[in-house]
Amino acid sequence: MPIPHARRMHARWVVLSLLMVVCGNNEGAPTETKTTLGWVEKVRISPGEIVLAAKLDTGADHSSLHASQITVFRRAGKKWVTCVIDNGEGQRVTIELPLVRTARIRRHGGSYEERPVVRLQVCVKDTLREAEVNLVDRAAMEFRMLIGRSFMKDHIVVDPSVEFTSEPECGKRGK
């Protein structure tokens, strides 16, 4: 007995739908592949060319860097910041950069803290990008730097099961 036309069309629709689900639909998929990194990686920041361990923190909006002796001063009528960056392994540099802004950061206890923000070149694996980074004393923290979502967006995926998967190997060009 032949299958009625409506049932044949429904069967074709079901098969086509299943194929789309199984094969995937690439519509809207990113054309660029993202780099998968561990939850902790070595990074290099410039100026200073200092290498340190950083936590890739998907829970943080922005990046933070351990700094001491943070001083805001004026140079040619504009605000600048000087500070000492210490990677905790004996490498220390003093940097001076223009102040981008002052960030108001909510602490875990609910209180707010104001932190100076500067622009740094940050190299993670082979990704070199300029990032706004707030400066704060993180000496009591396990990691001297946090890399936030604003840096990782569209470029980096974090695999929480691994750490230290790469070395910072950026050339002069960013990705």
Side-chain angles (χ1 to χ4, degrees):
M1 180 169 182
I3 299 174
H5 177 70
R7 287 182 65 197
R8 262 194 327 256
M9 292 304 291
H10 179 73
R12 287 180 186 162
W13 182 83
V14 168
V15 169
L16 182 59
S17 296
L18 286 172
L19 282 172
M20 287 178 68
V21 169
V22 170
C23 295
N25 181 352
N26 290 332
E27 190 174 314
T31 56
E32 172 184 329
T33 58
K34 296 178 184 177
T35 301
T36 301
L37 297 170
W39 71 279
V40 179
E41 294 289 347
K42 285 186 182 178
V43 302
R44 185 178 66 238
I45 59 167
S46 298
E49 300 301 319
I50 191 164
V51 176
L52 59 149
K55 178 180 177 184
L56 279 60
D57 191 348
T58 60
D61 290 330
H62 303 288
S63 300
S64 297
L65 175 64
H66 168 68
S68 60
Q69 302 173 32
I70 302 167
T71 305
V72 177
F73 65 97
R74 288 201 172 271
R75 176 181 286 163
K78 301 201 186 231
K79 289 185 178 180
W80 282 63
V81 177
T82 184
C83 64
V84 175
I85 308 297
D86 174 359
N87 71 355
E89 297 175 11
Q91 194 178 10
R92 287 173 63 105
V93 294
T94 299
I95 61 172
E96 290 184 358
L97 292 166
L99 177 70
V100 173
R101 62 186 169 86
T102 301
R104 191 169 184 236
I105 307 293
R106 178 178 278 185
R107 307 279 302 174
H108 289 291
S111 63
Y112 287 93
E113 174 181 47
E114 291 195 351
R115 300 180 186 172
V117 177
V118 296
R119 281 192 183 95
L120 297 171
Q121 292 289 320
V122 179
C123 171
V124 183
K125 190 176 179 181
D126 59 355
T127 299
L128 177 64
R129 301 188 63 222
E130 185 173 81
E132 287 191 2
V133 177
N134 66 66
L135 304 174
V136 64
D137 183 347
R138 295 181 52 82
M141 303 294 186
E142 185 175 358
F143 300 105
R144 297 290 172 122
M145 186 168 195
L146 291 182
I147 303 291
R149 289 189 311 269
S150 61
F151 180 88
M152 295 185 283
K153 184 180 178 189
D154 299 327
H155 300 280
I156 295 171
V157 175
V158 178
D159 180 347
S161 68
V162 295
E163 56 188 58
F164 298 113
T165 65
S166 66
E167 294 288 327
E169 298 176 352
C170 302
K172 295 291 182 189
R173 295 185 329 222
K175 268 190 168 181

Coordinates of all heavy atoms in Angstrom, one line a residue, residues 29-121:
A29 N 28.2 30.9 13.0 CA 29.4 30.5 13.7 C 30.6 31.4 13.4 O 30.7 32.0 12.4 CB 29.8 29.1 13.2
P30 N 31.5 31.6 14.4 CA 32.6 32.5 14.2 C 33.5 32.0 13.1 O 33.7 30.8 13.0 CB 33.3 32.6 15.5 CG 32.9 31.4 16.3 CD 31.5 31.0 15.7
T31 N 34.0 32.9 12.3 CA 35.0 32.6 11.2 C 36.4 32.4 11.8 O 37.2 31.7 11.2 CB 35.0 33.6 10.1 OG1 35.3 34.9 10.7 CG2 33.6 33.7 9.4
E32 N 36.7 33.0 12.9 CA 38.0 32.9 13.5 C 38.0 31.9 14.6 O 37.0 31.8 15.4 CB 38.3 34.3 14.1 CG 39.5 34.4 14.9 CD 39.7 35.8 15.5 OE1 39.3 36.7 14.8 OE2 40.3 35.9 16.6
T33 N 39.0 31.0 14.7 CA 39.1 30.1 15.8 C 39.6 30.7 17.0 O 40.5 31.6 16.9 CB 40.0 28.9 15.4 OG1 41.3 29.3 15.1 CG2 39.4 28.1 14.2
K34 N 39.2 30.3 18.2 CA 39.7 30.8 19.4 C 40.7 29.9 20.0 O 40.7 28.7 19.8 CB 38.5 30.9 20.4 CG 37.4 31.9 19.9 CD 36.3 31.9 20.9 CE 35.2 32.8 20.3 NZ 34.0 32.9 21.2
T35 N 41.7 30.5 20.7 CA 42.8 29.8 21.4 C 42.3 29.2 22.7 O 41.7 30.0 23.5 CB 43.9 30.7 21.6 OG1 44.4 31.3 20.3 CG2 45.1 30.0 22.2
T36 N 42.5 28.0 22.9 CA 42.1 27.4 24.2 C 43.3 27.3 25.1 O 44.4 26.9 24.7 CB 41.6 25.9 24.0 OG1 40.4 26.0 23.2 CG2 41.2 25.3 25.3
L37 N 43.2 27.9 26.3 CA 44.3 28.0 27.3 C 43.8 27.5 28.6 O 42.6 27.3 28.8 CB 44.7 29.5 27.4 CG 45.3 30.1 26.1 CD1 45.5 31.6 26.3 CD2 46.6 29.4 25.8
G38 N 44.7 27.3 29.5 CA 44.4 26.8 30.8 C 44.0 27.9 31.7 O 44.1 29.1 31.3
W39 N 43.5 27.6 32.9 CA 43.0 28.6 33.8 C 44.1 29.5 34.4 O 43.9 30.6 34.9 CB 42.1 28.0 34.9 CG 42.8 27.2 35.9 CD1 43.3 25.9 35.8 CD2 43.2 27.6 37.2 NE1 43.9 25.5 37.0 CE2 43.9 26.6 37.9 CE3 43.1 28.8 37.9 CZ2 44.4 26.6 39.2 CZ3 43.6 28.9 39.2 CH2 44.2 27.8 39.8
V40 N 45.4 29.0 34.3 CA 46.5 29.8 34.7 C 47.6 29.7 33.6 O 47.8 28.6 33.1 CB 47.2 29.3 36.0 CG1 48.4 30.1 36.4 CG2 46.2 29.3 37.2
E41 N 48.1 30.8 33.2 CA 49.1 30.8 32.1 C 50.1 31.9 32.4 O 49.9 32.8 33.1 CB 48.4 31.2 30.7 CG 47.4 30.2 30.2 CD 48.1 28.9 29.7 OE1 49.3 28.8 29.6 OE2 47.3 27.9 29.5
K42 N 51.3 31.7 31.8 CA 52.3 32.7 31.8 C 52.0 33.8 30.8 O 51.6 33.5 29.7 CB 53.7 32.2 31.5 CG 54.3 31.3 32.6 CD 55.7 30.9 32.3 CE 56.3 30.0 33.4 NZ 57.6 29.6 33.1
V43 N 52.1 35.1 31.2 CA 51.9 36.2 30.3 C 53.1 37.1 30.4 O 53.9 37.1 31.4 CB 50.6 37.0 30.7 CG1 49.4 36.1 30.7 CG2 50.7 37.7 32.1
R44 N 53.3 37.9 29.4 CA 54.3 39.0 29.3 C 53.6 40.3 29.2 O 52.8 40.4 28.3 CB 55.3 38.7 28.2 CG 56.5 39.7 28.3 CD 57.5 39.5 27.2 NE 57.0 39.7 25.9 CZ 56.9 38.9 24.9 NH1 57.4 37.6 25.1 NH2 56.4 39.2 23.7
I45 N 54.0 41.3 30.0 CA 53.4 42.6 29.8 C 54.5 43.6 29.4 O 55.7 43.4 29.8 CB 52.7 43.1 31.1 CG1 53.7 43.1 32.3 CG2 51.5 42.2 31.5 CD1 53.1 43.8 33.5
S46 N 54.1 44.6 28.7 CA 55.0 45.6 28.2 C 54.3 47.0 28.4 O 53.0 47.0 28.3 CB 55.3 45.5 26.7 OG 55.9 44.3 26.5
P47 N 55.0 48.0 28.9 CA 56.4 48.0 29.0 C 56.9 47.2 30.1 O 56.2 46.8 31.0 CB 56.7 49.5 29.2 CG 55.5 50.1 29.8 CD 54.4 49.2 29.3
G48 N 58.2 47.0 30.1 CA 58.9 46.2 31.2 C 59.3 44.8 30.8 O 60.2 44.3 31.4
E49 N 58.6 44.2 29.8 CA 58.9 42.9 29.4 C 59.0 41.9 30.6 O 59.9 41.1 30.6 CB 60.2 42.9 28.6 CG 60.1 43.7 27.3 CD 59.0 43.3 26.4 OE1 58.8 42.1 26.1 OE2 58.3 44.2 25.8
I50 N 58.0 42.0 31.5 CA 58.1 41.1 32.7 C 57.1 40.0 32.5 O 56.0 40.2 31.9 CB 57.7 42.0 33.9 CG1 58.0 41.1 35.2 CG2 56.3 42.5 33.9 CD1 58.1 42.0 36.5
V51 N 57.5 38.8 32.8 CA 56.7 37.6 32.7 C 56.2 37.2 34.1 O 57.0 37.1 35.0 CB 57.6 36.4 32.0 CG1 56.8 35.1 32.0 CG2 58.0 36.9 30.7
L52 N 54.9 36.8 34.1 CA 54.3 36.4 35.4 C 53.2 35.5 35.2 O 52.6 35.4 34.1 CB 53.9 37.6 36.2 CG 52.9 38.6 35.6 CD1 52.0 39.2 36.7 CD2 53.6 39.7 34.9
A53 N 52.8 34.7 36.2 CA 51.7 33.8 36.1 C 50.4 34.6 36.3 O 50.3 35.5 37.2 CB 51.8 32.8 37.2
A54 N 49.4 34.4 35.4 CA 48.1 35.1 35.5 C 47.0 34.1 35.5 O 47.0 33.1 34.8 CB 48.0 36.0 34.3
K55 N 46.0 34.4 36.3 CA 44.8 33.6 36.3 C 43.9 34.1 35.2 O 43.6 35.3 35.2 CB 44.1 33.7 37.7 CG 42.8 33.0 37.8 CD 42.2 33.1 39.1 CE 40.8 32.4 39.2 NZ 40.2 32.6 40.5
L56 N 43.4 33.3 34.3 CA 42.4 33.7 33.3 C 41.1 33.5 33.9 O 40.5 32.4 34.1 CB 42.6 32.8 32.0 CG 43.7 33.2 31.1 CD1 45.0 33.2 31.7 CD2 43.7 32.4 29.8
D57 N 40.5 34.7 34.3 CA 39.4 34.7 35.2 C 38.1 35.1 34.5 O 37.9 36.3 34.2 CB 39.6 35.7 36.4 CG 38.6 35.6 37.5 OD1 37.6 35.0 37.3 OD2 38.9 36.2 38.5
T58 N 37.3 34.1 34.1 CA 36.0 34.4 33.4 C 35.0 35.1 34.3 O 34.0 35.6 33.8 CB 35.4 33.1 32.8 OG1 35.2 32.2 33.9 CG2 36.4 32.4 31.8
G59 N 35.3 35.1 35.6 CA 34.4 35.8 36.5 C 34.7 37.3 36.7 O 33.9 38.0 37.3
A60 N 35.8 37.8 36.1 CA 36.2 39.2 36.2 C 35.9 39.9 34.9 O 36.3 39.4 33.8 CB 37.7 39.3 36.6
D61 N 35.3 41.1 35.0 CA 35.1 41.8 33.8 C 36.4 42.3 33.2 O 36.6 42.2 32.0 CB 34.2 43.1 34.1 CG 32.8 42.7 34.4 OD1 32.3 41.7 33.9 OD2 32.2 43.5 35.1
H62 N 37.3 42.9 34.0 CA 38.5 43.5 33.6 C 39.7 42.9 34.2 O 39.7 42.1 35.1 CB 38.4 45.0 33.9 CG 37.2 45.7 33.3 ND1 37.1 45.9 32.0 CD2 36.1 46.1 33.9 CE1 35.9 46.5 31.8 NE2 35.3 46.6 32.9
S63 N 40.9 43.2 33.6 CA 42.2 42.7 34.1 C 42.7 43.5 35.2 O 42.6 44.7 35.3 CB 43.2 42.6 32.9 OG 42.7 41.8 31.9
S64 N 43.4 42.9 36.2 CA 44.1 43.5 37.3 C 45.5 43.0 37.4 O 45.8 41.9 37.1 CB 43.4 43.2 38.6 OG 42.1 43.6 38.6
L65 N 46.4 43.9 37.8 CA 47.8 43.6 37.9 C 48.3 44.1 39.3 O 48.0 45.2 39.7 CB 48.6 44.3 36.8 CG 50.1 44.2 36.8 CD1 50.6 42.8 36.6 CD2 50.7 45.1 35.8
H66 N 49.2 43.2 39.9 CA 49.8 43.6 41.1 C 50.8 44.7 40.9 O 51.7 44.6 40.0 CB 50.5 42.4 41.7 CG 51.4 42.7 42.9 ND1 50.9 43.2 44.1 CD2 52.8 42.8 43.0 CE1 52.0 43.5 44.9 NE2 53.1 43.2 44.2
A67 N 50.7 45.7 41.7 CA 51.7 46.8 41.6 C 51.9 47.4 43.0 O 50.9 47.4 43.9 CB 51.2 47.9 40.7
S68 N 53.1 47.9 43.3 CA 53.3 48.5 44.6 C 53.9 49.9 44.3 O 54.2 50.2 43.1 CB 54.3 47.7 45.4 OG 55.6 47.6 44.7
Q69 N 54.0 50.7 45.3 CA 54.4 52.1 45.2 C 53.7 52.8 44.1 O 54.3 53.5 43.2 CB 55.9 52.1 45.0 CG 56.7 51.4 46.1 CD 58.2 51.3 45.8 OE1 58.8 52.2 45.1 NE2 58.8 50.2 46.3
I70 N 52.4 52.7 44.0 CA 51.6 53.3 43.0 C 51.4 54.8 43.3 O 50.9 55.2 44.4 CB 50.2 52.7 42.9 CG1 50.3 51.2 42.7 CG2 49.3 53.3 41.9 CD1 49.0 50.4 42.9
T71 N 51.8 55.6 42.4 CA 51.7 57.1 42.6 C 51.2 57.7 41.3 O 51.6 57.5 40.2 CB 53.1 57.7 42.8 OG1 53.7 57.0 44.0 CG2 53.0 59.2 43.1
V72 N 50.1 58.6 41.5 CA 49.6 59.3 40.4 C 50.2 60.7 40.4 O 50.3 61.3 41.5 CB 48.0 59.4 40.5 CG1 47.5 60.3 39.3 CG2 47.4 58.0 40.4
F73 N 50.7 61.2 39.3 CA 51.4 62.5 39.2 C 51.0 63.2 37.9 O 50.4 62.6 37.0 CB 52.9 62.3 39.4 CG 53.6 61.6 38.2 CD1 54.2 62.3 37.2 CD2 53.6 60.2 38.2 CE1 54.8 61.6 36.1 CE2 54.2 59.5 37.1 CZ 54.8 60.2 36.1
R74 N 51.4 64.4 37.8 CA 51.1 65.2 36.6 C 52.4 65.4 35.8 O 53.5 65.7 36.3 CB 50.5 66.6 36.9 CG 49.1 66.5 37.5 CD 48.4 67.9 37.3 NE 47.0 67.7 37.6 CZ 46.1 67.4 36.7 NH1 46.4 67.2 35.5 NH2 44.8 67.2 37.1
R75 N 52.2 65.2 34.5 CA 53.3 65.5 33.5 C 52.7 66.2 32.3 O 51.8 65.7 31.7 CB 53.9 64.1 33.0 CG 55.0 64.3 32.0 CD 55.6 63.0 31.5 NE 56.5 62.5 32.6 CZ 56.9 61.2 32.6 NH1 56.5 60.3 31.7 NH2 57.7 60.8 33.6
A76 N 53.2 67.4 32.1 CA 52.7 68.2 30.9 C 51.2 68.4 31.0 O 50.5 68.3 30.0 CB 53.1 67.6 29.6
G77 N 50.7 68.6 32.3 CA 49.3 68.8 32.5 C 48.4 67.6 32.4 O 47.1 67.7 32.6
K78 N 48.9 66.4 32.2 CA 48.1 65.2 32.2 C 48.5 64.3 33.3 O 49.6 64.3 33.8 CB 48.3 64.5 30.9 CG 47.9 65.4 29.7 CD 47.7 64.5 28.5 CE 47.4 65.5 27.3 NZ 46.3 65.3 26.6
K79 N 47.5 63.5 33.8 CA 47.8 62.5 34.9 C 48.5 61.3 34.3 O 48.2 60.7 33.3 CB 46.5 62.1 35.5 CG 45.9 63.2 36.4 CD 44.7 62.7 37.1 CE 44.1 63.8 38.0 NZ 42.9 63.3 38.7
W80 N 49.6 60.9 35.1 CA 50.3 59.7 34.8 C 50.4 58.8 36.1 O 50.1 59.3 37.2 CB 51.8 60.1 34.4 CG 51.9 60.5 33.0 CD1 51.3 61.6 32.4 CD2 52.6 59.9 32.0 NE1 51.7 61.7 31.1 CE2 52.5 60.7 30.8 CE3 53.5 58.8 31.9 CZ2 53.1 60.4 29.6 CZ3 54.1 58.5 30.7 CH2 53.9 59.3 29.6
V81 N 50.8 57.6 35.9 CA 51.0 56.7 37.0 C 52.4 56.1 37.0 O 52.9 55.7 35.9 CB 50.0 55.5 37.0 CG1 50.2 54.5 38.1 CG2 48.5 56.0 37.0
T82 N 53.0 56.0 38.1 CA 54.3 55.3 38.2 C 54.1 54.2 39.3 O 53.3 54.4 40.2 CB 55.5 56.2 38.6 OG1 56.7 55.4 38.6 CG2 55.3 56.8 39.9
C83 N 54.7 53.0 39.0 CA 54.5 51.9 40.0 C 55.6 50.9 39.8 O 56.3 50.9 38.7 CB 53.1 51.3 39.9 SG 52.9 50.5 38.3
V84 N 55.7 50.0 40.7 CA 56.7 48.9 40.6 C 55.9 47.6 40.4 O 54.9 47.3 41.1 CB 57.5 48.8 41.9 CG1 58.4 47.5 41.8 CG2 58.3 50.0 42.1
I85 N 56.3 46.9 39.3 CA 55.7 45.6 39.0 C 56.7 44.5 39.4 O 57.9 44.6 39.0 CB 55.4 45.4 37.5 CG1 54.6 46.6 37.0 CG2 54.7 44.1 37.2 CD1 53.2 46.8 37.6
D86 N 56.2 43.5 40.2 CA 57.1 42.5 40.7 C 56.4 41.2 40.4 O 55.3 40.9 40.8 CB 57.2 42.7 42.2 CG 58.0 41.6 43.0 OD1 58.4 40.6 42.3 OD2 58.2 41.7 44.2
N87 N 57.1 40.3 39.7 CA 56.4 39.0 39.3 C 56.5 37.9 40.4 O 56.0 36.8 40.2 CB 57.0 38.5 38.0 CG 58.4 37.9 38.1 OD1 59.0 38.0 39.2 ND2 58.9 37.4 37.0
G88 N 57.1 38.2 41.6 CA 57.1 37.3 42.7 C 58.2 36.3 42.5 O 58.4 35.4 43.3
E89 N 59.0 36.4 41.4 CA 60.1 35.4 41.2 C 61.4 36.2 41.0 O 62.3 35.7 40.3 CB 59.8 34.6 39.9 CG 58.6 33.7 40.1 CD 58.2 33.0 38.9 OE1 59.0 32.9 37.9 OE2 57.1 32.4 38.9
G90 N 61.5 37.4 41.5 CA 62.7 38.2 41.5 C 62.8 39.2 40.3 O 63.8 39.9 40.3
Q91 N 61.9 39.2 39.5 CA 61.9 40.2 38.4 C 61.1 41.4 38.8 O 59.9 41.3 39.1 CB 61.4 39.6 37.1 CG 61.6 40.4 35.9 CD 61.1 39.7 34.6 OE1 60.4 38.7 34.6 NE2 61.5 40.2 33.4
R92 N 61.7 42.6 38.8 CA 61.0 43.8 39.2 C 61.3 44.9 38.1 O 62.4 45.0 37.7 CB 61.5 44.4 40.5 CG 61.1 43.6 41.7 CD 61.8 44.1 43.0 NE 61.5 45.5 43.3 CZ 60.7 45.9 44.2 NH1 60.1 45.0 45.0 NH2 60.5 47.2 44.5
V93 N 60.3 45.7 37.8 CA 60.5 46.8 36.9 C 59.6 48.0 37.4 O 58.6 47.8 38.0 CB 60.1 46.5 35.4 CG1 61.0 45.5 34.8 CG2 58.7 46.1 35.3
T94 N 60.1 49.2 37.2 CA 59.3 50.4 37.4 C 58.8 50.9 36.1 O 59.6 51.0 35.1 CB 60.2 51.5 38.1 OG1 60.7 50.9 39.4 CG2 59.4 52.7 38.4
I95 N 57.5 51.2 36.0 CA 56.9 51.7 34.8 C 56.2 53.0 35.0 O 55.8 53.3 36.2 CB 55.9 50.7 34.2 CG1 54.7 50.4 35.1 CG2 56.6 49.4 33.8 CD1 53.6 49.6 34.4
E96 N 56.1 53.8 34.0 CA 55.4 55.1 34.0 C 54.5 55.1 32.8 O 55.0 54.9 31.7 CB 56.3 56.3 34.0 CG 57.1 56.5 35.3 CD 57.9 57.8 35.2 OE1 57.9 58.5 34.2 OE2 58.6 58.0 36.3
L97 N 53.2 55.3 33.0 CA 52.2 55.3 31.9 C 51.2 56.3 32.1 O 50.9 56.7 33.3 CB 51.6 53.9 31.8 CG 52.4 52.8 31.4 CD1 51.7 51.4 31.6 CD2 52.7 52.9 29.9
P98 N 50.6 56.8 31.1 CA 49.4 57.8 31.3 C 48.3 57.1 32.0 O 48.0 55.9 31.8 CB 49.0 58.1 29.8 CG 50.2 57.8 29.0 CD 50.9 56.6 29.7
L99 N 47.6 57.8 32.8 CA 46.4 57.3 33.5 C 45.3 57.4 32.5 O 45.0 58.4 32.0 CB 46.1 58.2 34.8 CG 44.8 57.8 35.5 CD1 45.0 56.5 36.3 CD2 44.5 58.9 36.5
V100 N 44.6 56.2 32.3 CA 43.5 56.2 31.4 C 42.2 56.7 32.1 O 41.5 57.5 31.6 CB 43.3 54.7 30.9 CG1 42.0 54.6 30.1 CG2 44.5 54.3 30.1
R101 N 42.0 56.2 33.3 CA 40.9 56.5 34.1 C 41.1 55.9 35.5 O 42.0 55.2 35.7 CB 39.6 56.0 33.5 CG 39.5 54.5 33.4 CD 38.3 54.0 32.6 NE 38.3 52.6 32.3 CZ 38.0 51.6 33.1 NH1 37.5 51.9 34.3 NH2 38.1 50.4 32.7
T102 N 40.1 56.2 36.4 CA 40.1 55.6 37.7 C 38.9 54.7 37.8 O 37.8 55.1 37.5 CB 40.1 56.6 38.8 OG1 41.3 57.5 38.7 CG2 40.1 56.0 40.2
A103 N 39.1 53.4 38.1 CA 38.0 52.5 38.1 C 37.5 52.3 39.6 O 38.3 52.4 40.5 CB 38.5 51.1 37.6
R104 N 36.2 52.2 39.7 CA 35.6 52.0 41.0 C 35.2 50.5 41.1 O 34.3 50.1 40.4 CB 34.4 52.9 41.2 CG 33.8 52.9 42.6 CD 32.8 54.0 42.7 NE 32.3 54.1 44.0 CZ 31.1 54.0 44.4 NH1 30.1 53.9 43.5 NH2 30.7 54.1 45.7
I105 N 36.0 49.7 41.8 CA 35.8 48.3 41.9 C 35.1 47.9 43.2 O 35.5 48.3 44.3 CB 37.2 47.6 41.8 CG1 38.0 48.1 40.7 CG2 37.1 46.1 41.8 CD1 37.5 47.7 39.3
R106 N 34.1 47.0 43.0 CA 33.4 46.5 44.2 C 34.2 45.3 44.8 O 34.5 44.4 44.1 CB 32.0 46.0 43.9 CG 31.3 45.4 45.1 CD 29.9 45.0 44.8 NE 29.1 46.2 44.9 CZ 27.8 46.2 44.8 NH1 27.2 45.1 44.6 NH2 27.2 47.3 44.9
R107 N 34.6 45.4 46.0 CA 35.3 44.4 46.7 C 34.3 43.3 47.2 O 33.1 43.4 47.1 CB 36.0 44.9 48.0 CG 36.9 46.2 47.7 CD 38.2 45.8 47.2 NE 38.9 44.9 48.2 CZ 40.0 44.4 48.0 NH1 40.6 44.6 46.9 NH2 40.5 43.6 48.9
H108 N 34.9 42.1 47.6 CA 34.0 41.0 48.0 C 33.1 41.3 49.2 O 32.0 40.8 49.2 CB 34.9 39.8 48.4 CG 35.5 39.1 47.2 ND1 34.9 38.5 46.2 CD2 36.9 39.1 46.8 CE1 35.7 38.0 45.3 NE2 36.9 38.4 45.7
G109 N 33.5 42.2 50.0 CA 32.7 42.6 51.2 C 31.6 43.6 50.9 O 30.8 44.0 51.7
G110 N 31.5 44.0 49.6 CA 30.5 45.0 49.2 C 31.0 46.4 49.2 O 30.3 47.3 48.6
S111 N 32.2 46.7 49.8 CA 32.7 48.1 49.7 C 33.4 48.3 48.4 O 33.6 47.4 47.6 CB 33.7 48.3 50.9 OG 34.8 47.4 50.7
Y112 N 33.6 49.6 48.1 CA 34.2 50.0 46.8 C 35.7 50.5 47.0 O 36.0 51.0 48.1 CB 33.4 51.1 46.1 CG 32.1 50.6 45.6 CD1 30.9 50.7 46.3 CD2 32.1 50.1 44.3 CE1 29.7 50.2 45.8 CE2 30.9 49.7 43.7 CZ 29.7 49.7 44.5 OH 28.5 49.3 44.0
E113 N 36.5 50.3 46.0 CA 37.8 50.7 46.0 C 38.1 51.4 44.7 O 37.7 50.9 43.6 CB 38.7 49.5 46.2 CG 40.2 49.8 46.1 CD 41.0 48.5 46.3 OE1 40.7 47.5 45.6 OE2 42.0 48.5 47.1
E114 N 38.9 52.5 44.7 CA 39.2 53.2 43.5 C 40.6 52.7 43.1 O 41.5 52.7 43.9 CB 39.2 54.7 43.6 CG 37.7 55.2 43.8 CD 37.6 56.6 43.5 OE1 38.6 57.4 43.5 OE2 36.4 57.1 43.5
R115 N 40.8 52.4 41.8 CA 42.1 51.9 41.3 C 42.5 52.6 40.0 O 41.6 52.8 39.1 CB 42.0 50.4 41.0 CG 41.7 49.5 42.2 CD 41.7 48.1 41.7 NE 41.2 47.2 42.8 CZ 40.9 45.9 42.6 NH1 41.1 45.4 41.4 NH2 40.5 45.2 43.6
P116 N 43.7 53.0 39.9 CA 44.2 53.6 38.6 C 44.2 52.5 37.5 O 44.5 51.4 37.7 CB 45.6 54.1 38.9 CG 46.0 53.3 40.1 CD 44.8 52.9 40.9
V117 N 43.8 53.0 36.3 CA 43.8 52.1 35.1 C 44.8 52.6 34.1 O 44.8 53.8 33.8 CB 42.4 52.0 34.5 CG1 42.4 51.2 33.3 CG2 41.4 51.5 35.6
V118 N 45.6 51.7 33.5 CA 46.6 52.1 32.5 C 46.4 51.1 31.3 O 45.7 50.1 31.5 CB 48.0 52.0 33.0 CG1 48.3 53.0 34.1 CG2 48.4 50.6 33.5
R119 N 47.0 51.4 30.2 CA 46.9 50.5 29.0 C 48.3 49.9 28.9 O 49.3 50.5 28.9 CB 46.7 51.3 27.7 CG 45.3 51.7 27.5 CD 45.0 52.1 26.1 NE 43.6 52.5 26.0 CZ 43.2 53.8 26.1 NH1 44.0 54.8 26.4 NH2 41.9 54.0 26.0
L120 N 48.3 48.5 28.8 CA 49.5 47.7 28.7 C 49.3 46.8 27.5 O 48.2 46.4 27.1 CB 49.7 46.8 29.9 CG 49.9 47.5 31.3 CD1 49.9 46.5 32.4 CD2 51.2 48.2 31.3
Q121 N 50.5 46.4 27.0 CA 50.5 45.3 26.0 C 50.6 44.0 26.8 O 51.5 43.9 27.6 CB 51.7 45.5 25.0 CG 51.6 46.6 24.1 CD 50.5 46.5 23.0 OE1 50.4 45.4 22.5 NE2 49.8 47.5 22.8

